[in-house]
Amino acid sequence: MKVNVEQAYTLAELKPKLEAAFPEYTVKFRGPKVLVIGEGKVGGAQIVGEKKGHVRIFEGFPTMGGQMLFALSLVLLGVLIPFIVFLTAIKPKQVKVRDEVADFLRKEYGSGVKQKETAHDLLDEAVTV
């Protein structure tokens, strides 16, 4: 998800703000350009890079152990069963964390999500009677 921001930010200054806003989540760095926020081993989000006009947030596993456990289940159980479990049990938790962090960043730093114009909107503007 791409969240547009008006103010400049760094991941180092963002970490204490996220820790204060979300005390129930763990916040840590995974490398110099990735900030991981999550609860437990499966529900989390990653904030990637420091760009000028936007913040990129992806849902994902907050720990390497959770990610490796999911990969191991893919190998042992095949693709179908872990994929169904991922879509029903894991993905909603990850999306919840990502959306909460995106809402916080919108309030703290900027304007909001970049909205794409739909074909319906474009047709309404083009056809005026």
Side-chain angles (χ1 to χ4, degrees), residues 18-62:
L18 287 172
E19 287 172 341
F22 302 105
E24 68 273 10
Y25 296 153
T26 58
V27 182
K28 59 187 173 187
F29 279 98
R30 186 181 291 172
K33 296 202 178 219
V34 178
L35 187 63
V36 177
I37 179 169
E39 67 176 326
K41 295 191 183 286
V42 293
Q46 301 172 358
I47 301 171
V48 181
E50 296 174 354
K51 303 291 183 182
K52 284 188 178 181
H54 62 273
V55 178
R56 290 210 180 263
I57 305 172
F58 301 105
E59 63 270 1
F61 292 95

Side-chain angles (χ1 to χ4, degrees), residues 5-128:
V5 294
E6 296 171 353
Q7 302 172 10
Y9 72 97
T10 62
L11 293 178
E13 77 178 22
L14 192 58
K15 184 178 186 276
K17 289 183 180 182
L18 287 172
E19 287 172 341
F22 302 105
E24 68 273 10
Y25 296 153
T26 58
V27 182
K28 59 187 173 187
F29 279 98
R30 186 181 291 172
K33 296 202 178 219
V34 178
L35 187 63
V36 177
I37 179 169
E39 67 176 326
K41 295 191 183 286
V42 293
Q46 301 172 358
I47 301 171
V48 181
E50 296 174 354
K51 303 291 183 182
K52 284 188 178 181
H54 62 273
V55 178
R56 290 210 180 263
I57 305 172
F58 301 105
E59 63 270 1
F61 292 95
T63 62
M64 292 302 290
Q67 191 170 352
M68 287 183 190
L69 184 64
F70 180 71
L72 182 65
S73 71
L74 282 172
V75 171
L76 294 178
L77 300 173
V79 176
L80 185 62
I81 294 170
F83 184 67
I84 292 171
V85 170
F86 176 76
L87 288 179
T88 58
I90 298 171
K91 182 78 170 176
K93 292 178 185 177
Q94 293 177 349
V95 169
K96 178 185 148 232
V97 173
R98 182 201 65 192
D99 290 342
E100 287 178 358
V101 172
D103 288 340
F104 171 76
L105 291 175
R106 274 188 220 110
K107 290 176 188 171
E108 188 73 21
Y109 287 102
S111 58
V113 174
K114 189 175 191 179
Q115 297 288 333
K116 294 181 180 178
E117 291 182 347
T118 62
H120 180 71
D121 293 337
L122 294 174
L123 289 176
D124 287 344
E125 292 175 5
V127 179
T128 55

